[in-house]
């Protein structure tokens, strides 16, 4: 299923090769060093970019903000008010740093998918969403255990009040599975699958258009349509990329709220 | 909490319950099938799990 990059290169000249999962398998820059790959480099680059942006935006804070300060504060304000305060409630400030880091990190790495010359969404490599979901998983369970104590917290998850006793046999496994398996799984796979599918879609139309250009005259004529669709899809992808960063952070905030709540 | 966020929460909670209903009870049914050399428990487990998930969703969202 996963062709190696070398194999893809080798068969390039026998007609059109539709893009597939092998196109996400980028080789290391340095031979044998599995850490010197584009996604890992992009992750580090995004951290540098975010840091520089927000340090510059907050360095000379003035009462009448500059454009840069305004941009930085808008993003921060959005996460703090819309995702922190509105969802978590009065003790939201403790969680804003985590939510803010999560949101900006995912957002920038997603948008890398449509930035010319970069054009690779880091989150289309599944390990990145896995790690982020694992962090969220530990954060909200840790908060729940700290707040209620481990026994009361697990009891709150397993037994919703006001249900006849035999029904717990039916429900308790589902609650446990939802909290401990399905939540981190859906969180990571939703982000991964959206980025993966989006990148593949763009590849199909861009590489397809390029290939049509090299065909006979009839194919050359339809090639521009492929590029037009690719451009339209790029804007659509931008929307999806922002939305996915938002949903990941929103659900993290909701899980934290659930862990803090008195009853589940 | 305003309503779009509530909807988002409800949507993914419901999705999660239905998924875990199928996974857990379907998985138990599959295990029983393998153990007892049968092929009815998987189907039964999936249906049972879906029913349990719907019941749980009703408990969470339908009661009030």
């Amino acid at each position: 299923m996963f062709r190696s990059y070398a194999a893809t290169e080798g068969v390039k000249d026998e007609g059109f090769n539709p893009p597939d999962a092998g196109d996400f398998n980028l080789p290391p820059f340095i031979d044998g060093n599995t850490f010197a790959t584009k996604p890992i480099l992009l992750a580090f680059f995004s951290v540098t970019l975010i840091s520089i942006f927000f340090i510059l935006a907050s360095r000379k804070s003035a009462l009448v903000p500059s454009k840069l300060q305004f941009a930085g504060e808008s993003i921060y304000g959005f996460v703090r008010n819309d995702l922190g305060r509105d969802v978590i409630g009065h003790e939201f400030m403790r969680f804003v740093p985590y939510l803010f880091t999560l949101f900006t990190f995912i957002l920038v790495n997603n948008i890398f998918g449509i930035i010319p010359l970069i054009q690779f969404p880091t989150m289309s490599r599944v390990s990145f969403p896995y790690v982020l979901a694992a962090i969220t998983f530990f954060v909200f369970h840790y908060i729940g255990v700290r707040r209620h104590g481990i026994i009361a917290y697990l009891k709150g998850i397993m037994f919703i009040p006001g249900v006849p006793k035999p029904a717990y046999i039916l429900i308790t496994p589902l609650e446990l599975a939802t909290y401990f398996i399905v939540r981190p799984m859906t969180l990571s796979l939703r982000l991964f699958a959206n980025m993966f599918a989006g990148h593949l879609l763009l590849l199909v139309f861009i590489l397809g258009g390029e290939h049509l250009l090299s065909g006979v005259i009839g194919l050359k004529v339809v090639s521009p349509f492929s590029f037009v669709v690719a451009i339209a899809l790029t804007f659509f992808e931008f929307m999806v990329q922002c939305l996915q960063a938002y949903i990941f952070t929103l659900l993290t905030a909701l899980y934290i709220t659930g862990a803090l709540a008195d009853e589940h | 909490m305003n309503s779009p966020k509530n909807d988002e929460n409800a949507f993914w909670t419901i999705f999660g319950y239905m998924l875990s209903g199928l996974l857990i009870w379907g998985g138990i049914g599959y295990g029983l099938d393998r153990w007892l050399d049968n092929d009815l428990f998987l189907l039964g487990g999936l249906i049972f799990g879906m029913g349990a998930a719907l019941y749980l969703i009703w408990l969470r969202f339908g009661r009030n």
Side-chain angles (χ1 to χ4, degrees):
Chain A
M1 198 172 72
F2 285 84
R3 289 182 302 176
S4 74
Y5 190 70
T8 329
E9 284 288 83
V11 290
K12 268 274 151 69
D13 45 0
E14 323 164 2
F16 181 60
N17 288 290
D20 62 10
D23 288 299
F24 291 83
N25 239 349
L26 302 171
F29 298 119
I30 307 162
D31 270 337
N33 187 348
T34 46
F35 288 98
T37 61
K38 189 172 176 180
I40 292 176
L41 215 67
L42 285 182
F44 279 109
F45 181 52
S46 73
V47 173
T48 319
L49 219 61
I50 295 165
S51 310
I52 290 172
F53 176 76
F54 283 106
I55 288 168
L56 284 180
S58 62
R59 202 181 42 180
K60 281 182 282 179
S61 35
L63 212 56
V64 181
S66 63
K67 276 200 179 103
L68 191 67
Q69 191 193 338
F70 180 74
E73 282 178 0
S74 307
I75 301 170
Y76 173 72
F78 170 71
V79 177
R80 193 189 67 181
N81 299 338
D82 274 43
L83 293 171
R85 193 183 55 201
D86 290 356
V87 176
I88 298 176
H90 65 277
E91 40 186 338
F92 70 99
M93 272 317 281
R94 279 164 61 203
F95 307 109
V96 169
Y98 177 57
L99 295 178
F100 182 66
T101 312
L102 202 59
F103 181 74
T104 47
F105 182 69
I106 297 174
L107 184 68
V108 170
N109 276 294
N110 283 354
I111 288 178
F112 278 164
I114 56 167
I115 302 280
L117 300 179
I118 298 178
Q119 279 163 321
F120 188 84
T122 321
M123 297 297 159
S124 66
R125 294 313 306 263
V126 75
S127 323
F128 290 97
Y130 276 165
V131 170
L132 293 178
I135 297 170
T136 288
F137 178 81
F138 284 117
V139 163
F140 83 82
H141 282 310
Y142 178 75
I143 289 165
V145 169
R146 275 291 296 273
R147 170 59 56 96
H148 304 286
I150 187 149
I151 293 172
Y153 178 62
L154 285 177
K155 241 171 129 175
I157 290 175
M158 291 195 291
F159 305 109
I160 23 176
V163 178
K165 281 219 166 57
Y168 283 127
I169 304 168
L170 210 68
I171 287 170
T172 302
L174 297 195
E175 290 277 29
L176 282 177
T178 303
Y179 273 78
F180 289 97
I181 301 167
V182 171
R183 273 186 173 187
M185 203 173 79
T186 50
L187 205 55
S188 53
L189 291 185
R190 175 175 41 247
L191 177 58
F192 157 72
N194 272 288
M195 290 308 108
F196 184 88
H199 189 57
L200 209 56
L201 207 59
L202 290 181
L203 280 181
V204 166
F205 281 97
I206 293 169
L207 294 181
E210 188 197 16
H211 184 72
L212 288 174
L213 263 186
S214 65
V216 295
I217 184 75
L219 292 180
K220 279 194 174 65
V221 173
V222 288
S223 167
F225 292 105
S226 183
F227 284 114
V228 168
V229 172
I231 291 166
L233 279 174
T234 302
F235 285 105
F236 176 71
E237 268 315 300
F238 177 69
M239 208 181 71
V240 172
Q241 286 158 350
C242 295
L243 192 70
Q244 287 310 314
Y246 171 75
I247 287 184
F248 198 104
T249 320
L250 172 66
L251 285 173
T252 298
L254 285 166
Y255 295 163
I256 291 172
T257 318
L260 286 172
D262 286 333
E263 51 169 331
H264 292 273
Chain B
M1 220 195 282
N2 57 19
S3 88
K5 290 196 189 86
N6 263 336
D7 289 350
E8 198 70 42
N9 184 25
F11 177 75
W12 288 110
T13 308
I14 289 168
F15 178 77
Y17 281 148
M18 296 184 95
L19 199 63
S20 38
L22 290 176
L23 283 178
I24 291 300
W25 288 109
I28 289 171
Y30 179 75
L32 283 175
D33 273 349
R34 290 288 295 265
W35 183 40
L36 300 171
D37 203 15
N38 201 321
D39 55 4
L40 284 173
F41 286 107
L42 174 59
L43 183 64
L46 288 175
I47 295 170
F48 189 69
M50 197 33 81
L54 290 175
Y55 177 54
L56 185 54
I57 291 162
W58 177 78
L59 286 175
R60 278 262 187 254
F61 298 100
R63 274 198 299 190
N64 31 26

